[in-house]
């Protein structure tokens, strides 16, 4: 039977403005407002006696401690959840708001008094509702249809077995009063939860997200997350009222069905009706969506289940790509960064860890260690059944113990329903924190990414067989750089005998509110619509590389998107190059040409990515300085003139120059390319004694012999090729080398040269000291300077990283 007083206004005492009860016969009454006319420090009024200044003070303290914890735990690769939970515990009754702090700092006692934290707790719960809505919005239920039996078995067993284990552990560790017996359900839910966003963040930082274990873990965590929500709803219905448990469950089930078959189609129809394709949503639309989140939360709260479940279901039924990535970032930045820390702080107010004895602390650590057992056992059992290795099964078991916001929320709801005392709440909150912070170091230990590439694993162009497929990984930060890269790939001479396989990798920065991913884009779209339409770039890249495949049938392209922080972006590049057995990585230069033929910097982080890739790449690397090469080459090819693309290869000596000459000779086989190879020979008669003596060492002589042999083989191959011209020029120092390069003129479209950073030669004497861009080498940096009259594009090639320690 429905409660007849559900919508009846509560009987509250009325007061006038002065706080006195009205006299008889007075009809107009006012609510007590606690108004204070605050003129700052010019009057003898304490601003902390007003609610708004007190709340602002609370918010400032909470945000400061949260940011400090994030900063301190970042080098340890801990997830944001661990730092935010730690900040909430420190702000609460354990440290800042403890009795000791209140006694010695009276201002803290005033700010965090029992009568002053009500507003902070209310705003924090509002942030929780919207954050849970965003969790449901970013969760793609379509992935459940592609979950394999391995992930399904690990996910379901990893929710049910820990649930019963946690409930039993709560019952046997202590004898709680009768009214606290149902707290076992919330302990079970807390142990059954696996934090899907937290696992994604850990895998992203460890560069394991697109590995086999990463895919299994993410799928298992998705199944586990849905199962844990079901267990949480069941626990809430049981503890709300024993007599209305079935009514609560049936009403929630009806709400879910109504949301899927009525609310979802209505929302999609409304969004299509009022918004044109490609346009952003209006403020009224966003306000309506956020209001409906609260409305759904209110409905589930009236059904006897927490309001967070209604917000979660509403986010779950809306496809994330419908609202768009910008909507998620806009709402999540305000909710997760500003409001959600207040929720963790309110949890900290309920947690009293300061007065715990040593015996109690040992008991908490023992319970934390025991809590690892159920998920590890059931994961190992399912791994044995599906023939997964013991190493991966144990790693999956550790990962499935990662906790998230849902586990903390379950404990808070159990405390709200008064089925759990302070000790049970504090023990499990500590357990959740402990289990989360130890996961990342253990997985990092089990899957170390610091292995070095064996010499046999290094792939370079010189060792590529003539009839082998050439695999190239191209990296793209911005769409504007794609034209020059595709033009370079087009003249790389893909033939039936030696086709070219291209992996076009779009690099995107990882923001706090995104998940690091490696997305593979196919003909039918992409697996992540919210990112695929970011700024419309991926659509342009798909069109560009589809045109390249159409123009060159012997070129195949696979388009990918890597989303990671700039500091670790090179790890994605190198690991993908290793996985795909790439021979050459092509990186765009961090500067671009302006309309005045000057070079402007696009993003300083691009330079750091290039330098890190050069230092750790397992194959050859090329950096392309694009000065309109794509547009120029397209116009020349359309003219129909043979050998219209003129390329100059500058050869001084060393491994990098030999690699560059190998690539240039391949491009020379293209019918539109004319190649000029200019080799500099040291004039020993006029060379400076110090530089000449240093060069004529045993190592220098051996390097020169290898260069001579390599160049002679090249000349033998192209002796009957009219498109290739080979010349030699004597030089004794860097100044003469520069003078000769200047005399080449401006008739070239592309310069190809080796980086040569680890190769000393008097031919470059004095140039290395004046290099502004070491990643281009001394000659490449010279061609880029404004003093050099040429505006041709530049390709700088480096041999693999092990042989270029500089």
């Amino acid at each position: 039977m429905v409660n007849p007083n559900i919508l009846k206004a509560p009987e509250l005492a009325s007061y006038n403005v002065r706080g006195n009860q009205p006299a008889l016969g007075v009809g107009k009454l006012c609510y007590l407002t606690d108004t204070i006319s605050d003129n700052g420090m010019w009057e003898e009024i304490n601003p902390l006696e007003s609610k708004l200044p007190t709340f602002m003070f609370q918010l400032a303290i909470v945000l400061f401690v949260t940011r400090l914890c994030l900063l301190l735990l970042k080098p340890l690769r801990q997830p944001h959840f661990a730092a935010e939970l730690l900040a909430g515990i420190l702000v609460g009754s354990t440290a800042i708001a403890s009795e000791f702090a209140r006694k010695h700092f009276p201002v803290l006692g005033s700010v965090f008094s029992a009568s002053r934290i009500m507003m902070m707790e209310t705003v924090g719960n509002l942030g929780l509702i919207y954050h849970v809505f965003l969790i449901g919005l970013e969760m793609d239920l379509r992935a459940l249809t592609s979950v394999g039996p391995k992930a399904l078995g690990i996910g379901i067993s990893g929710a049910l077995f820990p649930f019963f284990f946690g409930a039993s552990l709560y019952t046997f560790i202590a004898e709680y009063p009768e009214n606290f017996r149902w707290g076992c359900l919330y302990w079970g839910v807390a142990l059954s939860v696996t934090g899907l966003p937290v696992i994604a963040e850990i895998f992203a930082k460890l560069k394991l997200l697109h590995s086999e274990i990463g895919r299994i873990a993410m799928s298992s965590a998705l199944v586990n997350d849905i199962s844990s929500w079901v267990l949480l709803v069941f626990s809430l219905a049981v503890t709300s009222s024993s007599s209305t448990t079935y009514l609560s469950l049936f009403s929630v089930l009806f709400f879910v069905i109504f949301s899927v078959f009525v609310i979802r189609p209505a929302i999609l129809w409304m969004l299509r009706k009022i918004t044109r394709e490609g346009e952003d949503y209006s403020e009224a639309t966003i306000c309506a969506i956020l209001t409906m989140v609260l409305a759904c939360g209110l409905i589930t709260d009236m059904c006897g289940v927490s309001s967070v479940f209604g917000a979660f279901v509403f986010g779950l039924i809306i496809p994330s790509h419908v609202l768009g990535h910008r909507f998620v970032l806009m709402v999540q930045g305000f909710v997760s960064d500003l409001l959600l820390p207040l929720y963790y702080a309110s949890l900290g107010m309920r947690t009293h860890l300061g007065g715990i004895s040593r015996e109690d602390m040992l008991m908490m650590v023992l319970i934390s260690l025991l809590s690892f057992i159920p998920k590890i056992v059931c994961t190992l059992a399912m791994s044995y059944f599906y023939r997964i290795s013991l190493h991966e099964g144990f790693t999956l078991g550790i990962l499935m113990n990662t906790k998230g916001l849902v586990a903390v929320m379950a404990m808070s709801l159990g405390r709200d329903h008064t089925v759990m005392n302070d000790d049970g709440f504090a023990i499990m909150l500590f357990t959740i924190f402990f289990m989360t912070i130890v996961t990342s170091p253990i997985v990092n230990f089990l899957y170390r990414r610091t292995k070095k590439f064996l010499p046999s694993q290094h792939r370079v162009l010189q060792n590529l067989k003539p009839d082998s497929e050439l695999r190239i990984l191209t990296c793209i930060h911005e769409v504007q750089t794609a034209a020059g890269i595709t033009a370079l790939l087009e003249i790389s001479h893909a033939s039936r005998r030696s086709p070219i396989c291209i992996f076009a990798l779009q690099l995107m920065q990882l923001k706090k509110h995104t998940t690091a991913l490696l997305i593979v884009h196919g003909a039918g779209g992409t697996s992540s619509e919210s990112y695929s339409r970011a700024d419309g770039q991926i659509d342009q890249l798909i069109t560009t590389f589809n045109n390249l495949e159409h123009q060159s049938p012997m070129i195949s392209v696979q388009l990918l998107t890597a989303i990671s922080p700039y500091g670790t972006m090179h790890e994605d590049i190198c690991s993908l190059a290793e996985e795909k057995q790439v021979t050459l990585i092509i990186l765009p230069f961090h500067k671009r040409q302006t309309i005045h033929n000057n070079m402007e910097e696009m993003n300083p982080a691009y330079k750091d990515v290039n330098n890190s890739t050069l230092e750790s790449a397992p194959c050859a690397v090329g950096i392309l300085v694009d000065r309109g090469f794509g547009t120029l080459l397209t116009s020349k090819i359309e003219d129909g003139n043979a050998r219209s693309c003129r390329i100059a290869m500058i050869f001084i000596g060393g491994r990098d120059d030999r690699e560059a000459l190998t690539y240039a000779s391949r491009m020379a086989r293209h019918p539109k390319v004319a190649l000029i190879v200019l080799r500099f020979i040291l004039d020993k008669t006029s060379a400076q004694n110090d530089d000449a003596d240093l060069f004529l060492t045993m190592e220098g002589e051996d390097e020169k012999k290898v260069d001579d042999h390599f160049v002679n083989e090249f000349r033998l191959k192209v002796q009957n090729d009219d498109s290739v011209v080979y010349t030699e020029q004597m030089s004794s120092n860097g100044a003469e080398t520069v003078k000769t390069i200047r005399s080449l003129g401006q008739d070239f479209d592309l310069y190809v040269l080796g980086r040569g950073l680890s190769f000393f030669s008097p031919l470059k004497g004095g140039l290395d000291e004046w290099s502004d861009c070491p990643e281009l080498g001394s000659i490449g940096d010279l061609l880029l300077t404004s003093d050099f009259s040429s505006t041709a594009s530049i390709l700088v090639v480096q041999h693999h990283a092990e042989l270029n320690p500089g």
Side-chain angles (χ1 to χ4, degrees):
M1 180 178 179
V2 179
N3 182 10
N5 299 321
I6 188 172
L7 297 178
K8 184 178 179 180
E11 296 181 359
L12 298 176
S14 299
Y15 300 86
N16 57 22
V17 174
R18 298 183 182 274
N20 299 322
Q21 291 190 354
L24 295 176
V26 178
K28 295 183 178 180
L29 304 177
C30 299
Y31 180 71
L32 178 62
T33 57
D34 191 19
T35 58
I36 294 179
S37 178
D38 185 10
N39 293 324
M41 58 183 173
W42 313 118
E43 292 186 2
E44 295 182 1
I45 298 178
N46 186 2
L48 295 182
E49 294 180 359
S50 181
K51 294 181 180 179
L52 182 58
T54 302
F55 174 73
M56 294 169 62
F57 205 162
Q58 293 171 347
L59 181 61
I61 294 176
V62 170
L63 294 182
F64 173 77
V65 176
T66 301
R67 289 296 151 185
L68 182 62
C69 291
L70 287 171
L71 182 64
L72 295 177
L73 294 184
K74 184 177 181 180
L76 303 179
R77 293 188 174 184
Q78 291 295 333
H80 284 81
F81 166 73
E84 292 171 343
L85 181 57
L86 176 61
I89 295 175
L90 294 178
V91 172
S93 302
T94 303
I96 294 179
S98 63
E99 293 294 335
F100 177 83
R102 294 181 186 182
K103 180 179 179 181
H104 291 80
F105 301 96
V107 64
L108 295 178
S110 177
V111 171
F112 292 105
S113 62
S115 60
R116 295 296 184 183
I117 63 175
M118 186 63 66
M119 180 179 292
M120 182 183 71
E121 191 168 324
T122 303
V123 176
N125 279 278
L126 183 65
L128 174 67
I129 290 174
Y130 281 117
H131 185 78
V132 172
F133 160 70
L134 294 175
I135 291 177
L137 185 65
E138 293 183 325
M139 190 176 293
D140 189 5
L141 289 182
R142 293 177 299 178
L144 290 175
T145 60
S146 58
V147 170
K150 298 179 183 179
L152 191 63
I154 294 174
I156 295 178
S157 63
L160 294 179
F161 185 54
F163 176 79
F164 294 110
F165 182 87
S168 303
L169 188 63
Y170 178 88
T171 305
F172 289 111
I173 62 170
E175 295 181 0
Y176 290 108
E178 183 69 18
N179 55 332
F180 289 148
R181 70 183 188 279
W182 291 115
C184 63
L185 296 178
Y186 294 94
W187 266 43
V189 172
L191 291 186
S192 68
V193 168
T194 297
L196 178 60
V198 181
I199 284 185
E201 187 178 352
I202 291 175
F203 270 127
K205 293 178 179 179
L206 299 179
K207 301 301 175 186
L208 294 171
L209 197 61
H210 56 273
S211 62
E212 180 64 24
I213 188 174
R215 286 188 284 266
I216 296 177
M218 292 295 292
S219 301
S220 303
L222 178 61
V223 176
N224 184 277
D225 214 2
I226 299 298
S227 303
S228 300
W229 272 100
V230 174
L231 294 175
L232 178 59
V233 171
F234 171 77
S235 302
L236 289 171
V238 170
T239 56
S240 295
S241 176
S242 58
S243 60
T244 60
T245 299
Y246 295 107
L247 293 177
S248 298
L249 291 176
F250 282 122
S251 59
V252 168
L253 181 61
F254 176 78
F255 169 75
V256 172
I257 297 174
F258 183 81
S259 299
V260 172
F261 294 101
V262 178
I263 298 180
R264 174 188 168 95
I267 290 292
L268 297 180
W269 175 84
M270 181 190 71
L271 294 177
R272 286 194 298 264
K273 190 75 173 178
I274 64 179
T275 306
R276 296 180 180 179
E277 186 175 358
E279 294 184 358
D280 294 331
Y281 296 112
S282 63
E283 295 180 0
T285 304
I286 296 176
C287 183
I289 293 173
L290 297 180
T291 304
M292 295 186 68
V293 174
L294 298 179
C296 291
L298 178 61
I299 293 174
T300 53
D301 192 87
M302 294 169 59
C303 293
V305 183
S306 175
S307 56
V308 294
F309 181 72
F312 176 73
V313 171
F314 184 71
L316 206 60
I317 63 174
I318 301 178
S320 58
H321 67 273
V322 173
L323 294 180
H325 185 52
R326 292 187 60 185
F327 172 83
V328 175
L329 285 181
M330 178 182 63
V331 177
Q332 198 164 22
F334 176 76
V335 170
S336 301
D337 289 338
L338 193 66
L339 301 184
L340 193 62
L342 295 175
Y343 175 74
Y344 289 111
S346 66
L347 291 178
M349 293 296 175
R350 305 178 177 186
T351 308
H352 304 278
L353 297 178
I356 294 181
S357 62
R358 181 179 298 179
E359 292 76 11
D360 293 337
M361 182 59 68
L362 292 176
M363 176 62 69
M364 294 173 65
V365 174
L366 178 61
I367 293 174
S368 301
L369 295 176
L370 290 176
S371 300
F372 276 96
I373 295 177
K375 289 209 174 188
I376 294 179
V377 170
C378 65
T379 303
L380 287 176
M382 299 305 296
S383 300
Y384 176 79
F385 182 77
Y386 288 109
R387 301 183 182 278
I388 301 176
S389 65
L390 180 64
H391 178 266
E392 291 190 352
F394 180 75
T395 306
L396 283 173
I398 295 294
L399 285 168
M400 296 299 288
N401 278 291
T402 305
K403 303 304 175 185
L405 179 62
V406 179
V408 173
M409 186 178 63
M411 299 307 301
S412 177
L413 292 173
R415 190 75 175 86
D416 291 339
H417 283 70
T418 65
V419 295
M420 187 181 302
N421 62 0
D422 293 339
D423 293 339
F425 178 79
I427 290 174
M428 185 49 64
L429 197 65
F430 175 82
T431 301
I432 292 171
F433 176 73
F434 178 80
M435 296 175 72
T436 303
I437 62 172
V438 302
T439 300
S440 182
I442 294 177
V443 177
N444 190 27
F445 175 78
L446 294 175
Y447 280 85
R448 291 182 177 179
R449 303 292 294 177
T450 56
K451 66 175 183 178
K452 295 184 178 180
F453 301 106
L454 299 175
S456 60
Q457 293 177 311
H458 291 293
R459 291 170 295 277
V460 290
L461 295 168
Q462 300 174 43
N463 299 335
L464 190 68
K465 297 180 180 180
D467 56 348
S468 300
E469 179 187 54
L470 173 60
R471 296 193 167 200
I472 300 177
L473 173 62
T474 64
C475 302
I476 301 170
H477 292 283
E478 300 181 6
V479 175
Q480 294 81 0
T481 61
I485 291 178
T486 53
L488 179 66
L489 297 173
E490 186 176 355
I491 63 173
S492 297
H493 189 62
S495 61
R496 188 179 299 276
R497 184 184 181 190
S498 179
I500 297 178
C501 179
I502 299 171
F503 301 95
L505 181 65
Q506 183 193 20
L507 301 173
M508 296 178 62
Q509 182 186 12
L510 172 71
K511 302 297 176 69
K512 174 182 180 294
H513 305 300
T514 57
T515 301
L517 295 171
L518 181 68
I519 306 170
V520 180
H521 305 279
T526 176
S527 60
S528 182
E529 296 289 341
S530 60
Y531 293 113
S532 67
R533 304 190 182 278
D535 300 328
Q537 290 190 6
I538 192 62
D539 295 331
Q540 299 180 38
L541 291 178
I542 291 176
T543 303
T544 301
F545 283 97
N546 283 343
N547 293 336
L548 177 63
E549 281 187 303
H550 179 73
Q551 296 171 3
S552 304
M554 292 296 104
I555 293 180
S556 60
V557 180
Q558 185 177 9
L559 190 60
L560 308 100
T561 298
I563 306 172
S564 59
Y566 284 130
T568 59
M569 195 171 283
H570 67 282
E571 297 181 12
D572 284 335
I573 298 173
C574 295
S575 60
L576 185 63
E578 178 190 11
E579 179 184 347
K580 302 297 183 181
Q581 297 183 350
V582 169
T583 305
L584 176 64
I585 300 174
I586 297 179
L587 303 170
F589 191 52
H590 68 279
K591 295 182 180 180
R592 60 186 171 193
Q593 189 177 29
T594 63
I595 57 176
H596 303 293
N597 291 331
N598 296 322
M599 300 299 292
E600 67 174 3
E601 194 167 34
M602 292 185 289
N603 190 333
Y606 298 167
K607 182 177 181 179
D608 297 334
V609 174
N610 290 350
N611 289 332
S612 300
T613 305
L614 289 170
E615 293 173 1
S616 54
C619 59
V621 182
I623 297 182
L624 177 63
V625 182
D626 185 13
R627 290 174 163 179
F629 183 61
T631 306
L632 182 64
L633 182 65
T634 302
S635 61
K636 288 194 172 186
I637 290 179
E638 291 177 353
D639 291 341
N641 297 327
R643 307 297 176 183
S644 57
C645 179
R646 292 173 53 83
I647 299 177
M649 194 278 150
I650 301 175
F651 189 94
I652 293 179
R655 300 180 179 92
D656 294 347
D657 282 24
R658 294 195 294 269
E659 192 75 3
L661 180 58
T662 303
Y663 192 40
S665 63
R666 182 184 179 98
M667 289 189 287
R669 298 198 292 268
H670 193 278
K672 296 294 183 181
V673 173
L675 174 64
I676 295 180
V677 179
L678 174 60
R679 184 187 182 188
F680 286 91
I681 305 295
L682 178 64
D683 187 358
K684 303 177 183 179
T685 59
S686 59
Q688 296 181 2
N689 293 333
D690 294 340
D691 290 343
D693 293 342
L694 182 61
F695 182 69
L696 294 176
T697 58
M698 185 67 68
E699 183 178 355
E701 284 292 334
D702 292 342
E703 197 71 29
K704 186 177 182 302
K705 291 180 182 179
V706 177
D707 290 339
D708 292 340
H709 178 72
F710 186 82
V711 172
N712 291 335
E713 286 187 347
F714 165 76
R715 296 180 64 182
L716 184 63
K717 292 178 182 178
V718 300
Q719 60 181 350
N720 297 324
D721 191 349
D722 297 335
S723 63
V724 180
V725 176
Y726 174 82
T727 60
E728 293 183 351
Q729 183 68 38
M730 303 295 292
S731 177
S732 59
N733 52 51
E736 293 185 7
T737 302
V738 172
K739 183 179 178 181
T740 304
I741 295 176
R742 290 182 186 274
S743 64
L744 292 177
Q746 306 183 32
D747 297 334
F748 298 104
D749 304 314
L750 178 67
Y751 285 99
V752 180
L753 56 144
R755 186 187 182 199
L757 192 63
S758 60
F759 177 74
F760 171 77
S761 172
L763 298 171
K764 302 185 296 180
L767 298 180
D768 292 334
E769 290 78 3
W770 299 97
S771 179
D772 293 331
C773 300
E775 66 269 26
L776 299 181
S778 54
I779 303 299
D781 185 73
L782 170 70
L783 296 173
L784 191 63
T785 58
S786 57
D787 297 335
F788 200 81
S789 57
S790 176
T791 58
S793 299
I794 307 168
L795 178 65
V796 180
V797 181
Q798 174 192 276
H799 209 269
H800 62 73
E802 184 180 346
L803 298 179
N804 288 275

